[in-house]
Amino acid sequence: MSENRKLFLGFVHKLPDASASGNSGKTHCPSCLGLFKAPRLLPCLHTVCTTCLEKLEPFSVVDIRGGDSDTSSEGSIFQEPKSRSLQPQIGILCPVCDAQVDLPLGGVKALTIDHLAMNDVMLESLRGEGQGLVCDLCSDREVEKRCQTCKANLCHFCCQAHRRQKKTMYHTMVDLKDLKGYSRVGKPILCPAHPAEELRLFCELCDRPVCRDCVVGEHREHPYDFTSNVIHKHGDSVRELLRGTQPHVEALEEALAQIKSVNSGLQERVEAVAADVRTFSEGYIKAIEEHRDKLLKQLDDIRVQKENSLQLQKAQLEQLLADMRTGVEFTEHLLTSGSDLEILITKGVVVERLRKLNKVEYSARLGVNDKISFCPQEKAGQCRGYEVYGAINTKEVDPSKCVLQGEDLHRAREKQTASFTLLCKDAAGESMGRGGDNVQVAVVPKDKKDSPVRTVVKDNKDGSYHVSYTPKEPGVYTVWVCIREQHVQGSPFTVTVRRKHRPHPGVFHCCTFCSSGGQKTARCACGGTMPGGYLGCGHGHKGHPGRPHWSCCGKFIEKSECTYTGGQSAPRSLLRTVAL
């Protein structure tokens, strides 16, 4: 698997699903899978326990945003960094989506607390009959009641003490079981700088909630207002951003739905094509097996036929040999052991028998050979509707029966390609009908036998071969055509290579008088003359051939090669010609 493929799969594996994107209403940490404990909201809007974040291994990154860096995830693959001053930065990776989180100077504990998640944890605990909730005051006993004024969860002992104090004796106390239908039971959010004060104000200049002590101290002279008064303005800006984000969510959901649909269709299509492949392959395999059985049957039939022919020839030769031996042995015995009278008495019968035996025609050449070959590339028609290949071949090329043919067998021109065809045949004179024979061709000039001409032999796959070559110089060449180092019929043969075809430099005309416009200095190769000392020829005058001819060489055929050699008959001036 390529490196890019691995990175892509790793990225897809890390992409958050619908259940992980957006932790609103969620109560369990995606890292430790337990209820949130001091949950922190990351810039990617995933919530993780503080302790879980502290366990992550930090790494050094380069902050490219400049001095005033927020805690947004600049390392996300969906963002393009802006080139600014480089600053060292400590970061971690979100355990949910792997987005880079640049830690503020205070580290993990300086990240924003997710109070919404804390409220959801408390509601979850309430639905479980208060299991896991401890008193906010003593942090020891289980909770029984909740002070709606202080927003504090109290055990029985602390509840009694809460009612005995004058400051809190009139606070509204509610049983924990009565809070199960509530949507919010969270604690008051206290100022991190002044833990005794609740965050009720909002600093417009610093754009963050503050307490009463903050506005008289660090945020003195900063414009501020109650959170209830500014929530509409800031809430509307967030809603406006939300409205701009929702279409992207819908587009992405639609794209993912299309991917899911296409993927489903892809799987179905792959299964359908796979079924087609299996059906085709199974049919093809059956066709090949059937063709194989046919070939093996054909091969066995050929074996039986050849064996029968060999046995018949063997029986005939053995019978003839027995007759010959009988004749030879009897005659030798007669000549060596018989008396003169016995020889003369049996001579007639012996001579007649020997004459008969000597006249018997037989062939010592085998009528059957073992030449059987398999041609896997040869088309063998169709079987079960499939094109199959492979054929049993028993033919053997016979060089003495091969034929050479073509117009360029014995003539060619310099620097022009000449060609001829070789037809391969077997001993019976039938075409081989296939290619694959080792055909060797050599074209050698007689006066330069060490400089053969390059030849090209093209196998036509039907028993014929196209041979071509290009002689560079005129002269007589010898051509050898061999198969299995044996000359084919007609080989070797000679080829006369003439000079390249020469075009006519003159005019094909009736006479120079017409074609030159009456020029007295115009000459014609026909040698005709006109009265008055004209050098050229004219109609009906001495030497005129009586028909159209070339002015340069005198030939009568218009489409012919010029034989002009630059002699006295050459036209000295063909200044102007006119149409006949």
Side-chain angles (χ1 to χ4, degrees):
M1 184 182 295
S2 65
E3 194 64 26
N4 291 337
R5 176 70 173 166
K6 292 179 180 178
L7 291 174
F8 174 74
L9 291 179
F11 164 67
V12 171
H13 178 70
K14 285 291 184 179
L15 283 178
D17 56 19
S19 62
S21 62
N23 288 332
S24 299
K26 300 300 178 182
T27 58
H28 290 73
C29 175
S31 182
C32 65
L33 303 180
L35 287 173
F36 281 123
K37 296 179 180 177
R40 302 285 173 174
L41 183 63
L42 302 182
C44 56
L45 301 186
H46 290 130
T47 303
V48 185
C49 294
T50 302
T51 53
C52 294
L53 291 175
E54 289 175 339
K55 292 178 183 179
L56 297 177
E57 184 176 354
F59 56 88
S60 296
V61 296
V62 177
D63 185 9
I64 57 177
R65 296 166 301 166
D68 298 331
S69 65
D70 55 17
T71 57
S72 63
S73 178
E74 294 290 333
S76 172
I77 62 172
F78 297 106
Q79 295 182 349
E80 295 184 0
K82 301 177 182 178
S83 299
R84 295 188 182 178
S85 59
L86 303 180
Q87 296 182 5
Q89 181 77 24
I90 300 300
I92 58 175
L93 294 180
C94 171
V96 178
C97 65
D98 252 2
Q100 179 180 316
V101 178
D102 298 338
L103 294 178
L105 294 179
V108 170
K109 292 184 178 179
L111 294 172
T112 303
I113 297 176
D114 191 346
H115 295 281
L116 192 60
M118 295 175 65
N119 179 74
D120 292 337
V121 170
M122 188 171 294
L123 287 174
E124 177 110 351
S125 300
L126 289 175
R127 296 186 184 101
E129 300 298 335
Q131 184 179 358
L133 287 179
V134 294
C135 179
D136 291 338
L137 296 182
C138 65
S139 302
D140 186 19
R141 304 177 186 86
E142 290 188 1
V143 176
E144 287 189 3
K145 294 182 180 293
R146 178 177 175 82
C147 176
Q148 292 291 73
T149 307
C150 300
K151 305 294 184 183
N153 299 324
L154 305 174
C155 63
H156 179 71
F157 178 80
C158 293
C159 182
Q160 295 296 326
H162 203 65
R163 286 177 174 173
R164 285 195 295 270
Q165 297 181 16
K166 291 183 179 180
K167 187 178 180 180
T168 59
M169 62 186 301
Y170 296 109
H171 285 189
T172 303
M173 307 296 291
V174 181
D175 287 340
L176 210 60
K177 62 181 179 180
D178 296 333
L179 296 174
K180 291 183 181 180
Y182 282 49
S183 60
R184 290 202 55 81
V185 292
K187 299 178 182 178
I189 301 176
L190 304 178
C191 177
H194 309 96
E197 293 294 332
E198 185 177 352
L199 295 174
R200 297 177 179 273
L201 304 173
F202 187 82
C203 179
E204 295 285 359
L205 181 63
C206 300
D207 195 31
R208 64 190 179 96
V210 294
C211 67
R212 290 183 302 175
D213 291 351
C214 289
V215 297
V216 297
E218 181 183 357
H219 298 270
R220 183 183 303 167
E221 298 182 357
H222 288 188
Y224 68 90
D225 201 346
F226 287 100
T227 55
S228 58
N229 295 335
V230 300
I231 186 60
H232 300 291
K233 178 178 70 173
H234 293 279
D236 290 343
S237 64
V238 174
R239 291 186 187 93
E240 185 65 26
L241 284 174
L242 180 61
R243 281 194 292 270
T245 306
Q246 284 175 337
H248 298 295
V249 174
E250 295 172 358
L252 290 172
E253 288 177 346
E254 182 179 355
L256 290 173
Q258 291 179 355
I259 290 176
K260 182 178 180 181
S261 175
V262 171
N263 186 61
S264 176
L266 175 64
Q267 296 299 326
E268 294 176 0
R269 189 61 190 149
V270 166
E271 292 175 2
V273 173
D276 292 341
V277 170
R278 282 190 286 270
T279 302
F280 173 82
S281 301
E282 290 170 0
Y284 207 171
I285 290 172
K286 291 180 180 179
I288 292 175
E289 290 176 346
E290 184 176 323
H291 182 55
R292 175 202 61 193
D293 295 340
K294 288 181 180 179
L295 290 175
L296 293 177
K297 177 65 169 57
Q298 180 185 355
L299 183 62
D300 191 60
D301 292 342
I302 293 172
R303 177 189 63 80
V304 172
Q305 179 184 356
K306 285 181 174 287
E307 285 182 350
N308 290 341
S309 298
L310 286 173
Q311 291 300 326
L312 178 60
Q313 186 177 14
K314 177 185 176 185
Q316 292 173 344
L317 293 177
E318 285 177 346
Q319 182 60 48
L320 182 58
L321 177 60
D323 294 343
M324 291 285 186
R325 282 177 176 171
T326 300
V328 169
E329 290 173 359
F330 182 85
T331 303
E332 288 178 345
H333 178 67
L334 176 64
L335 294 175
T336 56
S337 302
S339 64
D340 295 342
L341 184 58
E342 291 172 339
I343 293 174
L344 293 174
I345 292 173
T346 57
K347 177 181 75 75
V349 178
V350 171
V351 169
E352 182 66 23
R353 181 57 176 169
L354 291 179
R355 284 177 178 172
K356 262 188 173 183
L357 291 175
N358 289 336
K359 289 180 180 180
V360 173
E361 294 182 358
Y362 66 93
S363 175
R365 182 179 178 182
L366 295 180
V368 176
N369 56 41
D370 60 352
K371 301 298 182 182
I372 304 176
S373 62
F374 176 61
C375 304
Q377 303 299 328
E378 186 173 338
K379 290 185 177 181
Q382 289 192 342
C383 182
R384 290 177 173 262
Y386 295 89
E387 189 76 28
V388 292
Y389 292 82
I392 303 294
N393 200 317
T394 58
K395 289 184 177 182
E396 182 182 13
V397 64
D398 186 347
S400 64
K401 297 297 178 67
C402 295
V403 176
L404 294 169
Q405 62 183 24
E407 296 181 357
D408 298 337
L409 271 179
H410 300 287
R411 62 184 183 184
R413 291 186 182 273
E414 63 172 334
K415 298 180 182 179
Q416 293 183 0
T417 301
S419 62
F420 59 88
T421 302
L422 169 65
L423 301 179
C424 289
K425 298 185 177 184
D426 61 5
E430 296 181 357
S431 175
M432 293 297 294
R434 60 166 177 80
D437 293 307
N438 184 19
V439 178
Q440 299 170 325
V441 180
V443 180
V444 183
K446 281 195 172 182
D447 55 345
K448 295 181 180 179
K449 295 186 177 180
D450 57 342
S451 302
V453 179
R454 180 177 176 272
T455 58
V456 177
V457 180
K458 180 184 177 184
D459 188 349
N460 295 325
K461 307 295 183 182
D462 58 358
S464 66
Y465 298 83
H466 183 267
V467 182
S468 60
Y469 62 96
T470 305
K472 296 181 179 180
E473 298 178 357
V476 179
Y477 290 72
T478 304
V479 181
W480 285 270
V481 182
C482 300
I483 296 179
R484 298 199 310 271
E485 300 182 355
Q486 297 182 29
H487 283 282
V488 301
Q489 183 181 204
S491 175
F493 59 92
T494 60
V495 176
T496 302
V497 178
R498 295 184 294 172
R499 293 192 179 276
K500 192 175 180 181
H501 181 83
R502 295 177 56 193
H504 293 274
V507 180
F508 190 70
H509 63 177
C510 62
C511 70
T512 57
F513 185 79
C514 293
S515 63
S516 66
Q519 294 290 325
K520 297 180 180 181
T521 57
R523 279 191 177 182
C524 181
C526 70
T529 59
M530 293 185 293
Y534 288 0
L535 299 176
C537 67
H539 296 283
H541 295 290
K542 182 180 178 181
H544 190 278
R547 52 178 164 165
H549 56 277
W550 284 101
S551 64
C552 50
C553 61
K555 282 194 173 183
F556 305 133
I557 302 175
E558 184 174 4
K559 294 183 179 179
S560 62
E561 182 180 7
C562 183
T563 56
Y564 159 66
T565 58
Q568 294 298 323
S569 62
R572 280 187 281 174
S573 175
L574 287 174
L575 302 179
R576 185 174 70 246
T577 59
V578 295
L580 299 181

